Amino acid sequence: MGIRVRSGMLKAGGLVLLVAGWAGWAVGAGAQTAQGAQVSQVAQAAQGAQAGAASGAATPHHAVAARPTAAATRPVTAATPPMGWNSWNYFAGKVTDKDIRDTADLLVSTGMRDAGYVYVNIDDTWEGERDANGKIQSNSKFPDMKALADYVHLKGLKLGIYSSPGAKTCARYEGSLNHEEQDAATYAEWGIDYLKYDLCSYGGVMRAQFPNDPAAQNKMMREAYEKMHQAIVKTGRPMVYSLCQYGWDSVWEWGPQVGANLWRTTGDISANFDRMSLIGRSQAGLAKYAAPGHWNDPDMLEVGNGKLTHDENVTHMTLWAMLAAPLIAGNNLTEMKPEIAAILMNKEAIAIDQDALGKQGDRIYAEGPVEIWAKPLTGGRKALAIYNFGETASDMHGIGLHLKEAGLPAHVTARDVWAAKDLGKITDAYKVTVPKHGVVLLVVR
Ligand code: GAL
């Protein structure tokens, strides 16, 4: 997927405000979503029936918001972008039961759970063999999945797991092909709250069955995703359903139809600025496909991983928040530095991501390495991000804020999120130095 960096003006589509009323500047994710999300029309009835049932003592607040209907009040799964942690980006194939328990402990003690990071997701390599009845077993790294789920739930967290519609996962462990209902039932029995379903070897099945017929391959893929969706619904247990097929076949156009709460829009992220920023920038134009219950997923966070600098980590967090992307941390919490914790737990950045309006941001202007993105927020506010993807600091070289293109009046009241500073009234003439690979994030009204 190529990035579309252009000189000149790019209009963001659909900057329409649905909610009036001032929501305040520095509102944490919990407070924002507690006000109730504007939810989509695609209710997941069966999932809704037991929403929240999985949570333990401290019920996480952000994941499910009530939707008042004439008939009943039905919660929407993933009313705001899911937040949590996933094992792949740091632990990859080495992840163990102990790593998950340590992570659960640390999500609580560091404050991450209370900041909204409630899902603890085990990625690939937990899978063992099937027993004589075809029931999937976890492997020796995960001696007792039910006990692990109980442990995680007692911490007020939720547990996620991973599988594939193919016979093998991407790491060549056991997939769910021809065992979909059985696997969903097993996950429900264990107490699983989130499933990432990764295409992997099923791509080969599709190609073998319909060589040179992409339309027929696509139909097979959709049916495979729908099949697991129905299997989850049948369990009666709410599970966030996360599609991973690398953004093929414009998944954002049909993801909701196969029950997806989120769908990967790209290939894998890695912990370097080029890959991370390429993915972030390439999301321009996808805003209209995001809505409560249905999110574009540019992959999990690498904040705190690899050699990302402070400014690069801040840019990463800002890109994802502006995209209303799922915030699934991927770092090793046992060695999280305070600087990384501060970025991941910045309340105002999280509130932008989790804003109850459920609107994804889009690029409104680009000139060379400088890009301005806007995201509509509740209360008539907007988040504006001024990115500098270049190799030297930029004083914006005469680039204005493009308030008009963001649907804003000529004078706005602004707050600088990362500087935690109220700026008072500003106009298009606002100037700031944006560091190399850095960003200035404003909330304006
Ligand atoms: C990839 C996927 C990664 C990770 C990995 C596990 O296909 O994109 O996020 O899940 O498989 O094998």
Side-chain angles (χ1 to χ4, degrees), residues 12-44:
L15 297 181
V16 182
L17 298 172
L18 298 178
V19 174
W22 173 246
W25 290 118
V27 186
Q32 283 276 20
T33 53
Q35 294 165 10
Q38 301 286 306
V39 295
S40 76
Q41 300 309 308
V42 188
Q44 292 169 310

mmCIF file of all heavy atoms in Angstrom, residues 12-44:
data_model
loop_
_atom_site.group_PDB
_atom_site.id
_atom_site.type_symbol
_atom_site.label_atom_id
_atom_site.label_comp_id
_atom_site.label_asym_id
_atom_site.label_seq_id
_atom_site.Cartn_x
_atom_site.Cartn_y
_atom_site.Cartn_z
ATOM 1 N N ALA A 12 -10.155 16.475 3.969
ATOM 2 C CA ALA A 12 -10.638 15.321 4.728
ATOM 3 C C ALA A 12 -12.124 15.197 4.484
ATOM 4 O O ALA A 12 -12.851 16.168 4.495
ATOM 5 C CB ALA A 12 -10.378 15.521 6.207
ATOM 6 N N GLY A 13 -12.546 13.981 4.232
ATOM 7 C CA GLY A 13 -13.968 13.767 3.996
ATOM 8 C C GLY A 13 -14.726 13.661 5.299
ATOM 9 O O GLY A 13 -14.199 13.234 6.314
ATOM 10 N N GLY A 14 -15.947 14.069 5.277
ATOM 11 C CA GLY A 14 -16.890 13.768 6.342
ATOM 12 C C GLY A 14 -16.563 14.355 7.698
ATOM 13 O O GLY A 14 -16.714 13.688 8.715
ATOM 14 N N LEU A 15 -16.116 15.602 7.753
ATOM 15 C CA LEU A 15 -15.860 16.195 9.063
ATOM 16 C C LEU A 15 -17.179 16.728 9.619
ATOM 17 O O LEU A 15 -17.387 17.907 9.780
ATOM 18 C CB LEU A 15 -14.824 17.308 8.951
ATOM 19 C CG LEU A 15 -13.448 16.856 8.492
ATOM 20 C CD1 LEU A 15 -12.501 18.038 8.452
ATOM 21 C CD2 LEU A 15 -12.889 15.795 9.423
ATOM 22 N N VAL A 16 -18.067 15.820 9.882
ATOM 23 C CA VAL A 16 -19.412 16.205 10.315
ATOM 24 C C VAL A 16 -19.550 15.926 11.804
ATOM 25 O O VAL A 16 -19.180 14.868 12.280
ATOM 26 C CB VAL A 16 -20.483 15.382 9.558
ATOM 27 C CG1 VAL A 16 -21.864 15.808 9.976
ATOM 28 C CG2 VAL A 16 -20.298 15.561 8.059
ATOM 29 N N LEU A 17 -20.057 16.873 12.504
ATOM 30 C CA LEU A 17 -20.190 16.691 13.945
ATOM 31 C C LEU A 17 -21.579 16.191 14.300
ATOM 32 O O LEU A 17 -22.573 16.680 13.796
ATOM 33 C CB LEU A 17 -19.935 18.028 14.645
ATOM 34 C CG LEU A 17 -18.530 18.546 14.406
ATOM 35 C CD1 LEU A 17 -18.390 19.942 14.944
ATOM 36 C CD2 LEU A 17 -17.533 17.616 15.055
ATOM 37 N N LEU A 18 -21.601 15.191 15.142
ATOM 38 C CA LEU A 18 -22.883 14.599 15.505
ATOM 39 C C LEU A 18 -23.329 14.982 16.908
ATOM 40 O O LEU A 18 -24.490 14.881 17.252
ATOM 41 C CB LEU A 18 -22.791 13.066 15.439
ATOM 42 C CG LEU A 18 -22.466 12.476 14.074
ATOM 43 C CD1 LEU A 18 -22.374 10.977 14.188
ATOM 44 C CD2 LEU A 18 -23.523 12.871 13.065
ATOM 45 N N VAL A 19 -22.381 15.385 17.723
ATOM 46 C CA VAL A 19 -22.714 15.610 19.118
ATOM 47 C C VAL A 19 -22.358 17.031 19.505
ATOM 48 O O VAL A 19 -21.281 17.502 19.202
ATOM 49 C CB VAL A 19 -21.931 14.626 20.018
ATOM 50 C CG1 VAL A 19 -22.160 14.946 21.484
ATOM 51 C CG2 VAL A 19 -22.355 13.203 19.723
ATOM 52 N N ALA A 20 -23.264 17.707 20.116
ATOM 53 C CA ALA A 20 -22.974 19.059 20.570
ATOM 54 C C ALA A 20 -22.683 19.023 22.059
ATOM 55 O O ALA A 20 -22.954 18.049 22.742
ATOM 56 C CB ALA A 20 -24.161 19.961 20.287
ATOM 57 N N GLY A 21 -22.143 20.091 22.564
ATOM 58 C CA GLY A 21 -21.904 20.148 23.999
ATOM 59 C C GLY A 21 -20.442 19.995 24.323
ATOM 60 O O GLY A 21 -19.756 19.164 23.773
ATOM 61 N N TRP A 22 -19.975 20.813 25.200
ATOM 62 C CA TRP A 22 -18.570 20.864 25.560
ATOM 63 C C TRP A 22 -18.191 19.684 26.428
ATOM 64 O O TRP A 22 -18.839 19.389 27.414
ATOM 65 C CB TRP A 22 -18.315 22.183 26.284
ATOM 66 C CG TRP A 22 -16.963 22.305 26.845
ATOM 67 C CD1 TRP A 22 -16.634 22.363 28.165
ATOM 68 C CD2 TRP A 22 -15.750 22.386 26.122
ATOM 69 N NE1 TRP A 22 -15.282 22.485 28.294
ATOM 70 C CE2 TRP A 22 -14.711 22.499 27.061
ATOM 71 C CE3 TRP A 22 -15.432 22.375 24.754
ATOM 72 C CZ2 TRP A 22 -13.384 22.605 26.700
ATOM 73 C CZ3 TRP A 22 -14.102 22.474 24.393
ATOM 74 C CH2 TRP A 22 -13.099 22.594 25.361
ATOM 75 N N ALA A 23 -17.158 18.983 26.050
ATOM 76 C CA ALA A 23 -16.777 17.802 26.820
ATOM 77 C C ALA A 23 -15.523 18.024 27.644
ATOM 78 O O ALA A 23 -15.070 17.123 28.330
ATOM 79 C CB ALA A 23 -16.585 16.628 25.887
ATOM 80 N N GLY A 24 -14.978 19.228 27.591
ATOM 81 C CA GLY A 24 -13.796 19.492 28.412
ATOM 82 C C GLY A 24 -12.525 19.125 27.680
ATOM 83 O O GLY A 24 -12.531 18.376 26.722
ATOM 84 N N TRP A 25 -11.413 19.657 28.145
ATOM 85 C CA TRP A 25 -10.148 19.401 27.481
ATOM 86 C C TRP A 25 -9.562 18.053 27.868
ATOM 87 O O TRP A 25 -9.402 17.168 27.076
ATOM 88 C CB TRP A 25 -9.116 20.468 27.860
ATOM 89 C CG TRP A 25 -9.374 21.807 27.295
ATOM 90 C CD1 TRP A 25 -9.611 22.950 28.005
ATOM 91 C CD2 TRP A 25 -9.397 22.177 25.922
ATOM 92 N NE1 TRP A 25 -9.781 23.986 27.143
ATOM 93 C CE2 TRP A 25 -9.654 23.555 25.866
ATOM 94 C CE3 TRP A 25 -9.238 21.475 24.735
ATOM 95 C CZ2 TRP A 25 -9.738 24.237 24.670
ATOM 96 C CZ3 TRP A 25 -9.321 22.157 23.540
ATOM 97 C CH2 TRP A 25 -9.566 23.517 23.517
ATOM 98 N N ALA A 26 -9.224 17.971 29.118
ATOM 99 C CA ALA A 26 -8.389 16.849 29.537
ATOM 100 C C ALA A 26 -9.233 15.757 30.160
ATOM 101 O O ALA A 26 -9.203 15.507 31.341
ATOM 102 C CB ALA A 26 -7.344 17.345 30.522
ATOM 103 N N VAL A 27 -9.990 15.104 29.324
ATOM 104 C CA VAL A 27 -10.872 14.061 29.844
ATOM 105 C C VAL A 27 -10.257 12.708 29.547
ATOM 106 O O VAL A 27 -9.868 12.428 28.427
ATOM 107 C CB VAL A 27 -12.261 14.162 29.183
ATOM 108 C CG1 VAL A 27 -13.215 13.181 29.828
ATOM 109 C CG2 VAL A 27 -12.782 15.578 29.315
ATOM 110 N N GLY A 28 -10.148 11.870 30.531
ATOM 111 C CA GLY A 28 -9.584 10.532 30.333
ATOM 112 C C GLY A 28 -10.513 9.662 29.512
ATOM 113 O O GLY A 28 -11.681 9.967 29.344
ATOM 114 N N ALA A 29 -9.951 8.567 29.037
ATOM 115 C CA ALA A 29 -10.713 7.677 28.151
ATOM 116 C C ALA A 29 -11.980 7.169 28.819
ATOM 117 O O ALA A 29 -13.030 7.087 28.206
ATOM 118 C CB ALA A 29 -9.846 6.504 27.729
ATOM 119 N N GLY A 30 -11.856 6.829 30.090
ATOM 120 C CA GLY A 30 -13.001 6.258 30.779
ATOM 121 C C GLY A 30 -14.151 7.246 30.862
ATOM 122 O O GLY A 30 -15.281 6.924 30.541
ATOM 123 N N ALA A 31 -13.805 8.482 31.234
ATOM 124 C CA ALA A 31 -14.844 9.482 31.396
ATOM 125 C C ALA A 31 -15.525 9.776 30.064
ATOM 126 O O ALA A 31 -16.731 9.923 29.982
ATOM 127 C CB ALA A 31 -14.242 10.754 31.965
ATOM 128 N N GLN A 32 -14.711 9.816 29.004
ATOM 129 C CA GLN A 32 -15.277 10.091 27.685
ATOM 130 C C GLN A 32 -16.300 9.045 27.302
ATOM 131 O O GLN A 32 -17.403 9.352 26.909
ATOM 132 C CB GLN A 32 -14.168 10.050 26.619
ATOM 133 C CG GLN A 32 -13.323 11.269 26.596
ATOM 134 C CD GLN A 32 -13.952 12.371 25.770
ATOM 135 O OE1 GLN A 32 -15.144 12.357 25.532
ATOM 136 N NE2 GLN A 32 -13.156 13.317 25.354
ATOM 137 N N THR A 33 -15.877 7.777 27.416
ATOM 138 C CA THR A 33 -16.742 6.734 26.907
ATOM 139 C C THR A 33 -17.910 6.474 27.843
ATOM 140 O O THR A 33 -18.937 5.990 27.415
ATOM 141 C CB THR A 33 -15.958 5.438 26.672
ATOM 142 O OG1 THR A 33 -15.275 5.125 27.864
ATOM 143 C CG2 THR A 33 -14.972 5.607 25.545
ATOM 144 N N ALA A 34 -17.733 6.838 29.099
ATOM 145 C CA ALA A 34 -18.827 6.636 30.035
ATOM 146 C C ALA A 34 -20.035 7.482 29.645
ATOM 147 O O ALA A 34 -21.158 7.191 30.014
ATOM 148 C CB ALA A 34 -18.380 6.986 31.450
ATOM 149 N N GLN A 35 -19.762 8.526 28.854
ATOM 150 C CA GLN A 35 -20.885 9.353 28.416
ATOM 151 C C GLN A 35 -21.753 8.615 27.408
ATOM 152 O O GLN A 35 -22.839 9.082 27.079
ATOM 153 C CB GLN A 35 -20.363 10.634 27.762
ATOM 154 C CG GLN A 35 -19.635 11.529 28.740
ATOM 155 C CD GLN A 35 -18.833 12.578 28.004
ATOM 156 O OE1 GLN A 35 -18.975 12.743 26.800
ATOM 157 N NE2 GLN A 35 -17.992 13.276 28.726
ATOM 158 N N GLY A 36 -21.265 7.500 26.915
ATOM 159 C CA GLY A 36 -22.053 6.713 25.961
ATOM 160 C C GLY A 36 -21.654 7.049 24.541
ATOM 161 O O GLY A 36 -21.609 8.197 24.137
ATOM 162 N N ALA A 37 -21.339 6.039 23.788
ATOM 163 C CA ALA A 37 -20.887 6.256 22.419
ATOM 164 C C ALA A 37 -22.069 6.402 21.478
ATOM 165 O O ALA A 37 -23.151 5.916 21.732
ATOM 166 C CB ALA A 37 -20.030 5.082 21.972
ATOM 167 N N GLN A 38 -21.815 7.104 20.385
ATOM 168 C CA GLN A 38 -22.749 7.061 19.269
ATOM 169 C C GLN A 38 -22.479 5.729 18.587
ATOM 170 O O GLN A 38 -21.389 5.515 18.089
ATOM 171 C CB GLN A 38 -22.453 8.189 18.282
ATOM 172 C CG GLN A 38 -22.546 9.556 18.889
ATOM 173 C CD GLN A 38 -23.982 9.938 19.120
ATOM 174 O OE1 GLN A 38 -24.781 9.891 18.204
ATOM 175 N NE2 GLN A 38 -24.317 10.292 20.328
ATOM 176 N N VAL A 39 -23.408 4.848 18.556
ATOM 177 C CA VAL A 39 -23.084 3.513 18.094
ATOM 178 C C VAL A 39 -23.652 3.220 16.718
ATOM 179 O O VAL A 39 -24.618 3.826 16.289
ATOM 180 C CB VAL A 39 -23.558 2.453 19.092
ATOM 181 C CG1 VAL A 39 -22.795 2.588 20.389
ATOM 182 C CG2 VAL A 39 -25.040 2.574 19.316
ATOM 183 N N SER A 40 -23.021 2.268 16.046
ATOM 184 C CA SER A 40 -23.427 1.936 14.690
ATOM 185 C C SER A 40 -24.695 1.104 14.690
ATOM 186 O O SER A 40 -25.160 0.630 15.718
ATOM 187 C CB SER A 40 -22.326 1.149 14.007
ATOM 188 O OG SER A 40 -22.338 -0.158 14.493
ATOM 189 N N GLN A 41 -25.205 0.918 13.516
ATOM 190 C CA GLN A 41 -26.464 0.185 13.382
ATOM 191 C C GLN A 41 -26.253 -1.320 13.418
ATOM 192 O O GLN A 41 -27.194 -2.089 13.458
ATOM 193 C CB GLN A 41 -27.138 0.568 12.068
ATOM 194 C CG GLN A 41 -27.458 2.053 11.989
ATOM 195 C CD GLN A 41 -28.204 2.543 13.206
ATOM 196 O OE1 GLN A 41 -29.204 1.976 13.589
ATOM 197 N NE2 GLN A 41 -27.697 3.583 13.847
ATOM 198 N N VAL A 42 -25.008 -1.740 13.328
ATOM 199 C CA VAL A 42 -24.770 -3.178 13.245
ATOM 200 C C VAL A 42 -24.656 -3.731 14.658
ATOM 201 O O VAL A 42 -23.591 -3.814 15.218
ATOM 202 C CB VAL A 42 -23.498 -3.466 12.445
ATOM 203 C CG1 VAL A 42 -23.351 -4.955 12.177
ATOM 204 C CG2 VAL A 42 -23.534 -2.709 11.130
ATOM 205 N N ALA A 43 -25.750 -4.083 15.236
ATOM 206 C CA ALA A 43 -25.718 -4.623 16.592
ATOM 207 C C ALA A 43 -25.378 -6.098 16.529
ATOM 208 O O ALA A 43 -25.766 -6.792 15.598
ATOM 209 C CB ALA A 43 -27.070 -4.433 17.245
ATOM 210 N N GLN A 44 -24.640 -6.536 17.486
ATOM 211 C CA GLN A 44 -24.322 -7.964 17.521
ATOM 212 C C GLN A 44 -25.142 -8.557 18.641
ATOM 213 O O GLN A 44 -24.698 -8.701 19.761
ATOM 214 C CB GLN A 44 -22.833 -8.136 17.725
ATOM 215 C CG GLN A 44 -22.090 -7.657 16.507
ATOM 216 C CD GLN A 44 -20.645 -7.569 16.754
ATOM 217 O OE1 GLN A 44 -20.232 -6.972 17.739
ATOM 218 N NE2 GLN A 44 -19.844 -8.147 15.893
#
